[in-house]
Amino acid sequence: MVRGFLTALALAVAGAAWAAEPVTGDVAVIDADTIRVNGVTIRLHGIDAPERDQTCRLDGRDWACGRWATDAARAAFEGARASCTPLSTDRHGRTVARCRVNGDDMADRIVRMGLAEAYLRYSRDYVDAEKEAALARRGIFASDFAAPEDHRAAARAATDQPPPGRCAIKGNITKNGRIYHMPGQEHYARTRISEGKGERWFCSEAEARAAGWRKARR
C-alpha cells in the first residue's frame, strides 16, 4: 500500500514538472526541427528534418536539402512569437515540446511545407501533414532522400570506428553503470567513447568483464 502510494506520488510529481507554464518568446531557428525560445533549446515533437549537412537527390543531382530546410524554416519563423508546451526531454537534454506560432502548430506547418517528415518513432500526429506534402511533392518530398534518422546513424557509423590499432568493443559509462557494446549490437554504432570520462575500448569480452563492465542487453 505504502509502496503504491509512493509510486503514484512520484508519477504525479513527474507529471507536474511538465505541467509548468509554456515557454514563450521569439523564435531563433537552429534547424528545421530545433529552435531556441527564451533561452531554451526546443526539439519540436513528432517531426524529423534533414540534418544541416544532409544532401538529397533531386533531378539527378545532389541537393543540399538540409541547409535548404534550415533556411526555409528560418525565413518562415525567425523572430516570430511562439508559445511552447514542454512534453519531455531528449537524450541530448533538449526540451521536447509542441509550439504554436500565430495559433498554428509549428511542427504541422513545417511538415506541410516539405521541410521535415513525421517522426513515427515518437508520434503519428503529423502523418496527414506528410501525406499532403508528399502528394504535392513539396520540398524534400520532391527528392530522393534518406530518413534523417538513417542519415545520422550512417554518419555515426562512418566516424565512430575504433582508432587505428585499438580493439572494437566499446566500454561505455552511463547512468545505468559500465556497459560494453559488441560490434553488431543495436546501439553499437550510436555509442561514442570518451576516454577522458573513463570510457575505453576492449579487445575481448573477458577483458571487459574483468574491468567491471557488463554486456549491453541489445
Side-chain angles (χ1 to χ4, degrees):
M1 178 71 74
V2 173
R3 181 179 297 173
F5 171 77
L6 291 176
T7 300
L9 179 61
L11 290 173
V13 170
W18 292 111
E21 290 296 316
V23 178
T24 59
D26 295 342
V27 172
V29 172
I30 297 174
D31 58 33
D33 59 28
T34 310
I35 61 176
R36 187 171 292 109
V37 176
N38 200 18
V40 179
T41 299
I42 293 174
R43 179 66 159 81
L44 295 172
H45 167 72
I47 68 173
D48 202 15
E51 298 298 312
R52 280 179 290 183
D53 66 344
Q54 187 170 344
T55 59
C56 303
R57 196 74 176 164
L58 181 64
D59 296 331
R61 298 180 179 181
D62 287 340
W63 171 43
C65 56
R67 187 168 65 246
W68 171 84
T70 297
D71 290 344
R74 187 165 289 134
F77 298 105
E78 187 77 16
R81 191 74 175 174
S83 177
C84 301
T85 302
L87 301 175
S88 64
T89 57
D90 68 9
R91 65 190 184 93
H92 300 293
R94 300 173 298 189
T95 296
V96 178
R98 298 181 188 275
C99 295
R100 302 191 77 83
V101 172
N102 296 324
D104 295 331
D105 183 327
M106 186 174 175
D108 185 82
R109 283 182 58 189
I110 286 171
V111 175
R112 290 183 192 278
M113 291 167 64
L115 312 186
E117 63 179 7
Y119 204 175
L120 299 182
R121 176 191 286 266
Y122 297 104
S123 173
R124 297 189 62 85
D125 289 351
Y126 304 106
V127 169
D128 288 343
E130 180 179 305
K131 287 179 180 177
E132 178 189 305
L135 284 172
R137 293 183 59 81
R138 295 189 194 121
I140 62 173
F141 299 106
S143 69
D144 294 321
F145 68 96
E149 184 175 37
D150 293 340
H151 173 80
R152 293 190 294 270
R156 285 192 297 266
T159 60
D160 194 28
Q161 297 298 320
R166 297 289 184 87
C167 302
I169 299 174
K170 297 180 179 181
N172 186 219
I173 300 175
T174 73
K175 63 181 180 180
N176 296 318
R178 296 171 182 261
I179 300 171
Y180 68 86
H181 299 261
M182 300 286 293
Q185 285 193 286
E186 181 177 350
H187 299 299
Y188 181 85
R190 72 180 65 176
T191 299
R192 299 193 177 190
I193 298 304
S194 174
E195 293 181 302
K197 296 179 181 178
E199 297 174 333
R200 51 187 291 196
W201 300 85
F202 295 104
C203 295
S204 69
E205 291 191 75
E207 180 188 3
R209 289 194 294 267
W213 266 258
R214 63 178 175 83
K215 188 175 183 178
R217 293 177 182 175
R218 298 187 292 177

